[in-house]
Amino acid sequence: MIRIEIPGFGNLELQHLVCDYNGTLALDGQLLPGIAEQLSRLASQLTIHVITADTFGQARAELAGLPVSLHITPLENQAQTKLEFVQKLGAAVTAAIGNGRNDCRMLDAAALGIALIQREGGAATTVAAADVVCTSIHDAIALLRNPKRLIATLRS
């Protein structure tokens, strides 16, 4: 669990992290360099879930052996499926990271939503729905591992 008290934002008691795969943890189906190690370290604090339509069909192989649970979803109704997944886990104890338009609703619902703008870009609606925007998944994970950075960004 990660506990963070953020003045003017609220107290977070995060138990879960939900991540999109392509555009977030991977590019063109390939896990980004260094992400396996980052996820392994973060798994001691949060239960990590990866939710994806698996556009390139490589998510299962790329994530094999990592301390994450993989949820492959149908192409239809992605935004609703991801939202319902976060709600089922408990939105109040969940952080979510994504970049695509289909991630917008899960980021908005999660206690902490982090939008990414990496090489695949970031949907404007998703960026607007997020609490924080990062230009690297490494930076997004570092925010969770170093909560004072989140406090500096989100306090009011």
Side-chain angles (χ1 to χ4, degrees):
M1 178 181 296
I2 296 175
R3 288 189 172 96
I4 312 166
E5 295 179 22
I6 305 172
F9 183 81
N11 297 332
L12 300 176
E13 292 189 6
L14 302 173
Q15 297 174 18
H16 300 277
L17 173 62
V18 177
C19 291
D20 172 50
Y21 185 69
N22 283 301
T24 300
L25 299 175
L27 179 66
D28 300 332
Q30 302 280 325
L31 202 60
L32 293 168
I35 293 305
E37 296 82 6
Q38 292 280 347
L39 293 175
S40 294
R41 279 190 231 115
L42 189 59
S44 67
Q45 296 174 281
L46 298 171
T47 302
I48 302 172
H49 310 269
V50 178
I51 187 165
T52 179
D54 198 16
T55 304
F56 296 92
Q58 295 177 260
R60 191 172 312 283
E62 289 287 310
L63 296 169
L66 294 179
V68 304
S69 60
L70 175 62
H71 308 272
I72 298 177
T73 65
L75 288 173
E76 301 80 28
N77 301 314
Q78 282 268 305
Q80 184 64 28
T81 300
K82 290 181 175 187
L83 169 64
E84 290 172 1
F85 187 80
V86 166
Q87 290 173 330
K88 183 178 175 185
L89 291 174
V93 295
T94 301
I97 304 174
N99 74 305
R101 190 166 160 235
N102 62 3
D103 299 319
C104 177
R105 295 175 75 188
M106 80 168 178
L107 266 62
D108 187 45
L112 177 65
I114 303 173
L116 293 180
I117 304 173
Q118 299 185 114
R119 291 181 62 193
E120 194 176 282
T125 55
T126 301
V127 170
D131 298 303
V132 177
V133 179
C134 292
T135 58
S136 157
I137 184 61
H138 294 284
D139 291 341
I141 291 172
L143 288 175
L144 296 169
R145 294 189 42 82
N146 302 287
K148 287 186 179 182
R149 293 180 186 175
L150 275 173
I151 294 168
T153 300
L154 293 175
R155 70 179 168 220
S156 61

